[in-house]
Amino acid sequence: MLTMDDIVREGNPILRAVAQEVVMPPTHEEKETLKKMREFLINSQDDEIAEKYKLRAGIGLAAPQIGISKRMIAVYIPEEDKIHDYTLFNPKIISHSVENTYLEGGEGCLSVDREVPGYVPRHARVKVKAYNIDGKEITLKLKGLPAIAIQHEIDHLDGIMFYDHINKENPFAIPDHCPTN
Ligand code: UDB
Ligand code: ZN
């Protein structure tokens, strides 16, 4: 299983590289990697397993974060009514809302071992095209935390860190195009 020792940390240039597209259909090894990434998220959200292996409770993970510079992400977010469970190859935002949003508590990252204060502007809603674990093309329409998480993960595929988006002058300035403005 993957543990925190497998997570590449800030400072490693792989986190600043643009990851390679995965050729469809994916190989057995690529599919297994994606399944391991999803399993890490599920384990990290299990209190007993997380405590035993000292895992941070993750909701998303991109392949560059485990040292693999390929366009693969996993998102696992259990909500009240539905679980947002995505394992994706070559995810791409094909359209998004004008409206922006941000997490009130700011963002963190499994690859960043420090707190970085400030609001991270994100599209409030996104339409994402991708290939699922079976190599089938799919389209997702997301809002709320799943939308924020998938943008954070796709950023990793392009070498972008969440704090790149924080306003340098005033980290807590409400981003443009947020409903509260
Ligand atoms: C996370 N989790 O997994 F708003 F119930 C973060 C960590 C870095 C704090 C573990 C997280 O934000 N959980 C969360 C957020 C909520 C409500 C809730 C749980 N990541 C994944 C990551 O680093 N992927 O590369 C960072 C998140 C920042 C925004 C979404 C992903
Ligand atoms: Zn991250």
Side-chain angles (χ1 to χ4, degrees), residues 19-26 30 34 63 69-74 87-94 127-133 135-140 150 153-154 157-158:
Q20 285 268 2
E21 293 257 339
V22 176
V23 175
M24 290 298 113
E30 287 162 341
L34 207 36
S69 197
K70 290 186 182 183
R71 304 187 79 84
M72 319 197 306
I73 64 169
T87 44
L88 306 174
F89 296 107
N90 302 334
K92 190 179 155 65
I93 295 172
I94 54 171
K127 197 166 157 182
V128 174
K129 199 206 81 171
Y131 295 84
N132 70 10
I133 195 89
K136 183 190 172 219
E137 191 176 330
I138 59 163
T139 303
L140 300 171
I150 208 161
E153 303 317 329
I154 293 173
L157 305 181
D158 292 316

Side-chain angles (χ1 to χ4, degrees), residues 10-180:
E10 196 179 15
N12 187 317
I14 199 167
L15 291 176
R16 288 308 194 175
V18 175
Q20 285 268 2
E21 293 257 339
V22 176
V23 175
M24 290 298 113
T27 66
H28 177 76
E29 189 181 1
E30 287 162 341
K31 290 163 73 162
E32 288 305 309
T33 297
L34 207 36
K35 288 181 193 171
K36 272 197 310 178
M37 289 165 59
R38 173 179 181 270
E39 208 57 39
F40 170 84
L41 297 176
I42 293 172
N43 287 338
S44 77
Q45 293 176 27
D46 179 304
D47 291 339
E48 282 189 8
I49 302 174
E51 160 140 88
K52 177 164 181 206
Y53 295 101
K54 296 274 168 275
L55 308 177
R56 291 176 77 189
I59 57 173
L61 187 65
Q65 293 181 278
I66 56 165
I68 299 171
S69 197
K70 290 186 182 183
R71 304 187 79 84
M72 319 197 306
I73 64 169
V75 170
Y76 194 89
I77 304 175
E79 287 186 334
E80 315 88 55
D81 47 335
K82 74 182 284 196
I83 302 180
H84 291 267
D85 181 2
Y86 310 121
T87 44
L88 306 174
F89 296 107
N90 302 334
K92 190 179 155 65
I93 295 172
I94 54 171
S95 64
H96 62 77
S97 57
V98 171
E99 189 178 314
N100 286 334
T101 189
Y102 59 92
L103 285 179
E104 293 218 26
E107 292 188 15
C109 181
L110 292 164
S111 297
V112 178
D113 292 326
R114 63 192 172 100
E115 297 232 342
V116 185
Y119 294 146
V120 179
R122 299 292 184 187
H123 305 304
R125 296 173 296 280
V126 291
K127 197 166 157 182
V128 174
K129 199 206 81 171
Y131 295 84
N132 70 10
I133 195 89
D134 302 317
K136 183 190 172 219
E137 191 176 330
I138 59 163
T139 303
L140 300 171
K141 283 181 73 173
L142 303 176
K143 59 182 166 63
L145 185 58
I148 292 170
I150 208 161
Q151 290 172 76
H152 178 114
E153 303 317 329
I154 293 173
D155 270 352
H156 278 306
L157 305 181
D158 292 316
I160 298 166
M161 301 295 285
F162 72 93
Y163 46 76
D164 298 345
H165 297 295
I166 298 175
N167 184 312
K168 291 274 162 28
E169 286 79 47
N170 180 4
F172 291 105
I174 306 292
D176 286 343
H177 305 288
C178 282
T180 43

